[in-house]
Amino acid sequence: MQYQVSHTDLTLVLALVRGRSLAKAAELLKVDVSTVFRSIRRLEASLGKALFDKSRKGYAPTGTAQALAEQAERAEQALDAAQVAVEHGDQVVSGTVRLTCTEAVLHSLLLPALAHFMPTYPALSLELATSNSFANLSRRDADVALRLTNSPPEHLVGRCLGTASYLVYGHADYRQRLAEAPASLPWIALDDSMSDHASVVWREQHLPGVVPRYRCSSMAAVAQLVGAGLGVAALADYMADSLPGVERLSDALPGCDTELWLLTRPDCRALRSVQTLFDELTPRLRAAMGE
């Protein structure tokens, strides 16, 4: 019969993954070193595979040990949430919500919003993943998506939180050159992996002769290069206004306005954890978008 992994086994593996030594694991588990050693040997024998590679640097977890440790952390979070539920009754919001957004949205919009309300929900956990597509949500690898799009997928439901405008941004010493000879500037742009992005379409239509000096795989990287003074770029207003030393060098670019949507799958919208995120994020993100 195949060995059934127990909660004790998961706790043991997690302690050794975190401690990387028998002594540290024993300290975390509040047992002696010999107990940890025997328990790991017994578990490896029962599973029929090694869980750790021992070296001078300590105990390095194998892929199996890492997978077990991840499940152990989930179990830890579930127990913590259960304890909060016992202490606070039916009003507690608990569970894990997987949220996907772009790196630029994460840093400029989502993180400041989360910092305001997440501490008041100790039993609510978030798994954040950055991606430029809706694929994660469609494959059920995520529960909620925060996306800039004017055409949200029909199979998702949600709220429009505002509209982002795009302008040319850069340091002040680029202003005159932009007015007189825009093609002479060092432009920073997205690479071919995001060829349909509004800023790329605008540049190809209005500045067809411009060859970007720098190409990046994300808008967050484009903004960082602009902030460093390396050139100019078309950036969303919500992310550029906070860049030190960076100024608006143009009016809003025509045809680039893009809506910000908070989306989920229909089967998730009734979940209390998802409803809470929608209710907490909506007013904060609308304020950040100037709505």
Side-chain angles (χ1 to χ4, degrees):
M1 183 179 295
Q2 187 176 8
Y3 181 76
Q4 297 295 311
V5 177
S6 68
H7 181 264
T8 301
D9 296 331
L10 293 179
T11 302
L12 171 68
V13 173
L14 181 59
L16 194 49
V17 167
R18 286 173 172 173
R20 297 300 175 103
S21 72
L22 294 175
K24 185 62 177 177
E27 180 182 339
L28 293 172
L29 294 170
K30 295 181 173 57
V31 298
D32 56 60
V33 172
S34 61
T35 298
V36 176
F37 178 75
R38 290 194 304 270
S39 298
I40 284 293
R41 291 290 298 274
R42 187 183 305 116
L43 179 57
E44 289 180 326
S46 299
L47 295 175
K49 60 180 65 178
L51 295 176
F52 295 88
D53 296 320
K54 189 177 183 303
S55 68
R56 293 180 179 179
K57 296 182 179 180
Y59 281 72
T62 63
T64 300
Q66 286 284 16
L68 290 175
E70 289 176 7
Q71 296 305 316
E73 288 183 330
R74 290 178 182 270
E76 243 184 12
Q77 293 170 356
L79 288 173
D80 289 341
Q83 184 62 39
V84 172
V86 169
E87 295 173 358
H88 298 278
D90 295 337
Q91 300 305 311
V92 69
V93 177
S94 63
T96 298
V97 178
R98 298 163 297 175
L99 190 155
T100 178
C101 63
T102 65
E103 189 177 351
V105 168
L106 173 69
H107 291 289
S108 299
L109 294 174
L110 182 59
L111 292 184
L114 293 179
H116 280 92
F117 70 85
M118 279 301 290
T120 64
Y121 298 97
L124 179 62
S125 298
L126 294 183
E127 294 181 2
L128 302 175
T130 55
S131 168
N132 290 321
S133 70
F134 285 102
N136 286 352
L137 208 63
S138 302
R139 293 198 308 265
R140 297 176 179 264
D141 292 336
D143 307 309
V144 175
L146 189 57
R147 285 285 186 260
L148 282 163
T149 179
N150 290 327
S151 302
E154 294 182 357
H155 65 279
L156 302 179
V157 294
R159 303 169 181 171
C160 179
L161 304 181
T163 302
S165 294
Y166 284 78
L167 301 85
V168 177
Y169 285 88
H171 285 203
D173 51 1
Y174 289 122
R175 185 181 300 277
Q176 186 172 352
R177 288 174 61 189
L178 177 65
E180 297 176 352
S184 69
L185 289 171
W187 283 86
I188 305 163
L190 292 168
D191 61 22
D192 292 339
S193 66
M194 297 182 67
S195 58
D196 59 346
H197 192 273
S199 63
V200 176
V201 174
W202 170 83
R203 192 191 73 249
E204 291 177 345
Q205 290 178 347
H206 295 270
L207 297 172
V210 167
V211 178
R213 185 172 183 184
Y214 305 95
R215 294 181 184 269
C216 306
S217 60
S218 72
M219 287 302 298
V222 171
Q224 290 173 356
L225 268 66
V226 172
L230 292 174
V232 300
L235 293 175
D237 48 9
Y238 71 85
M239 52 185 304
D241 288 342
S242 62
L243 293 173
V246 172
E247 299 182 4
R248 301 183 179 204
L249 303 182
S250 75
D251 295 329
L253 304 178
C256 290
D257 286 1
T258 309
E259 295 172 338
L260 178 69
W261 283 84
L262 184 61
L263 300 161
T264 188
R265 302 192 310 272
D267 60 298
C268 287
R269 60 183 171 182
L271 296 176
R272 189 173 183 182
S273 54
V274 171
Q275 288 180 336
T276 298
L277 274 183
F278 267 60
D279 291 343
E280 293 285 3
L281 286 173
T282 295
R284 290 176 173 84
L285 294 180
R286 281 180 172 162
M289 297 291 287
E291 297 296 316

